[in-house]
Amino acid sequence: MDEKAYRVVKSSDINEMNRKIHRHRRRILLLTALVVILLLGTLMGSYIYIQTRSYKDYEVLNSVERKDSGRTLFAAFNENMIKYSKDGASCIDTDNHMIWNQTYEMQSPMVDTCEGYAVIADSKGEKVYIMDTDGPCGEIRTTMPIQRVQVANQGEVAVLMEENGTGYIHVYNREGKFLAEGELHTENTGYPVDISVSNDGRKLAVSLLDVNDGNVKTTIIFYNFGSAGQNEIDNIVCQYSYGDMIFPKVEFLTNDVLAAFGNGKAVIFEGEQKPQVKTEISVEQEIQSIFYNEAYIGFVFDNENKQEAYRLQVFDLKGTEVLSKDFNIKYQEVGFLENDEVCVRADTECSIYTLRGIEKFHGSFQKNIWKIMSAGRTKDYVFWAEGETQKIRLK
């Protein structure tokens, strides 16, 4: 065989070998793609199954006994629980280990929390206790009856007081040291019905109700105790008035977003320095309950002319409805769990809904359930029941 023929044969062999390699690689790529598609399909199917599955029963993973007085109330605090009554308060974990304890005497204790801080105040009284995750930080003694109290995530405390027709707002640091104050004269501005302080303690919102000659008006005033409010009169950076409306609740959902809940609408304000109206959500029926977290707000209404007694609706902060659900539980509390699920709780019954509208769990209990918390995993929860704390898993 001459050299030219040899080169032709060699070239033909090489081309055939390249074609075989190409076909093999393509076969491997197709098999790999098929395996990936099957895995993704399996994972997606499992995810959809888990997200849409409903449970009617559960197993108790761990149960710890507790001793509570007959008038003990509960407030969730930094993955733990504050138990409080007229005689004192304590913070316990899910294993009933006491983290801190505070004794006092109050006629009507109320609790507010923000991340790692909590305040316990005597409604209509003159005492405030400031706590962090480790225990007591400071105390406040006011000279006027306390109407509302709120704490920020750095421990600053805003206290709304009222005496002789005048409202007073005092701001304190985490040790209870006085920082700032303001006065609200009812004949000029209206009666203060609620306050809310931003997470960083720099912004304060006040809802003022003015009833003049039978006409109702609510004004929401925003204070800024940072640089934006230094050159403003009384640190007031903006205010909004609403005729024929009552806004009994205002709440900073995040550091820069506030929700005002009225008798005919909810208004979402947003702004780092001077909050502005972001959206308004109109409601036609009388609101029975409200609930909220950092991303959503919710309402409960009477369900007229339907088999179920109540209807709940959830909206995101853009005003878009994400959930509407009818239910028939004569509830004690409706609220968001830590995983954004909605829990409707009565003393011995509860339902848990996902934002997809799935009733994830419905159950009845032999003991009263005071609080329910999600516990990390999809099916794990903590039931703070009468006399015991249960870590459970749905099944």
Side-chain angles (χ1 to χ4, degrees):
M1 181 181 295
D2 60 23
E3 184 178 350
K4 183 177 180 180
Y6 174 78
R7 287 199 301 268
V8 171
V9 172
K10 185 176 181 181
S11 176
S12 176
D13 292 343
I14 292 173
N15 290 336
E16 180 63 23
M17 182 176 63
N18 287 335
R19 283 194 293 270
K20 289 181 178 180
I21 292 173
H22 179 71
R23 286 197 298 270
H24 180 69
R25 287 177 176 174
R26 186 169 59 181
R27 210 175 285 120
I28 291 175
L29 287 173
L30 289 173
L31 289 173
T32 302
L34 181 61
V35 171
V36 170
I37 291 171
L38 289 173
L39 285 175
L40 289 175
T42 302
L43 291 173
M44 183 62 69
S46 299
Y47 175 79
I48 294 173
Y49 174 73
I50 292 172
Q51 292 298 312
T52 59
R53 184 181 178 185
S54 295
Y55 302 85
K56 299 295 183 182
D57 200 2
Y58 63 91
E59 59 178 325
V60 178
L61 303 178
N62 185 41
S63 180
V64 179
E65 291 187 3
R66 288 192 334 269
K67 292 183 179 180
D68 308 322
S69 67
R71 297 181 179 180
T72 298
L73 300 173
F74 296 84
F77 178 50
N78 202 39
E79 299 183 356
N80 298 310
M81 193 67 69
I82 294 176
K83 301 187 338 179
Y84 65 102
S85 66
K86 294 183 177 182
D87 302 319
S90 60
C91 181
I92 59 173
D93 63 18
T94 55
D95 293 319
N96 202 34
H97 296 146
M98 183 180 294
I99 300 171
W100 52 254
N101 182 63
Q102 175 66 59
T103 59
Y104 54 71
E105 291 184 3
M106 295 185 182
Q107 292 300 312
S108 182
M110 54 184 177
V111 170
D112 183 65
T113 65
C114 183
E115 297 183 11
Y117 285 92
V119 288
I120 307 165
D122 193 6
S123 178
K124 310 299 182 183
E126 299 174 350
K127 297 179 181 178
V128 181
Y129 294 88
I130 308 168
M131 325 294 290
D132 65 11
T133 55
D134 296 321
C137 298
E139 298 181 16
I140 300 170
R141 292 291 187 271
T142 67
T143 58
M144 293 167 284
I146 298 169
Q147 305 297 318
R148 297 282 191 277
V149 62
Q150 279 221 330
V151 64
N153 66 4
Q154 297 180 13
E156 290 91 346
V157 178
V159 182
L160 172 63
M161 300 165 288
E162 189 272 334
E163 189 174 60
N164 298 327
T166 300
Y168 299 87
I169 299 173
H170 287 186
V171 181
Y172 303 83
N173 68 8
R174 66 189 297 274
E175 288 84 22
K177 181 181 178 181
F178 175 81
L179 296 178
E181 66 179 337
E183 292 186 12
L184 301 166
H185 298 279
T186 56
E187 66 272 16
N188 298 325
T189 60
Y191 183 81
V193 294
D194 197 25
I195 62 172
S196 183
V197 62
S198 62
N199 292 357
D200 61 8
R202 291 177 178 268
K203 294 185 289 290
L204 177 72
V206 183
S207 176
L208 297 158
L209 176 62
D210 184 14
V211 180
N212 188 9
D213 297 328
N215 297 317
V216 175
K217 182 181 74 172
T218 297
T219 300
I220 299 173
I221 297 178
F222 288 92
Y223 296 80
N224 190 305
F225 298 107
S227 58
Q230 290 180 357
N231 297 323
E232 305 289 346
I233 298 176
D234 295 330
N235 294 93
I236 297 175
V237 291
C238 56
Q239 56 185 329
Y240 300 86
S241 295
Y242 297 88
D244 298 323
M245 295 286 294
I246 301 173
F247 286 84
K249 182 64 178 175
V250 291
E251 184 71 26
F252 274 99
L253 306 181
T254 69
N255 193 61
D256 299 324
V257 177
L258 177 128
F261 297 92
N263 58 327
K265 69 172 65 178
V267 183
I268 306 296
F269 300 90
E270 184 174 10
E272 184 178 352
Q273 303 294 341
K274 299 180 180 182
Q276 297 180 341
V277 175
K278 179 180 180 181
T279 189
E280 295 186 356
I281 301 170
S282 297
V283 292
E284 297 180 357
Q285 293 178 256
E286 182 180 354
I287 300 170
Q288 300 299 318
S289 301
I290 61 170
F291 54 103
Y292 45 83
N293 64 9
E294 292 184 349
Y296 303 97
I297 63 173
F299 307 91
V300 177
F301 309 96
D302 283 334
N303 212 358
E304 299 177 356
N305 303 320
K306 289 193 176 182
Q307 183 176 358
E308 290 81 4
Y310 304 101
R311 176 172 55 91
L312 67 83
Q313 283 183 284
V314 175
F315 298 83
D316 63 21
L317 301 187
K318 295 179 180 179
T320 302
E321 182 184 277
V322 297
L323 173 64
S324 180
K325 199 72 179 178
D326 297 336
F327 67 94
N328 215 25
I329 296 176
K330 294 182 179 179
Y331 66 95
Q332 300 292 327
E333 182 182 28
V334 178
F336 288 105
L337 301 180
E338 293 74 13
N339 59 2
D340 286 342
E341 294 172 345
V342 178
C343 180
V344 179
R345 180 190 62 81
D347 287 338
T348 58
E349 185 181 8
C350 86
S351 285
I352 297 175
Y353 300 97
T354 70
L355 292 180
R356 295 175 177 268
I358 304 299
E359 186 179 42
K360 183 176 180 179
F361 173 73
H362 177 85
S364 299
F365 315 100
Q366 294 181 343
K367 293 184 176 182
N368 287 343
I369 303 293
W370 305 131
K371 284 288 182 180
I372 295 174
M373 299 171 62
S374 58
R377 292 188 176 184
T378 303
K379 298 189 293 182
D380 291 1
Y381 297 83
V382 178
F383 289 168
W384 299 83
E386 182 178 4
E388 65 177 322
T389 304
Q390 297 179 341
K391 297 178 182 178
I392 67 97
R393 179 168 294 163
L394 303 182
K395 66 177 186 178

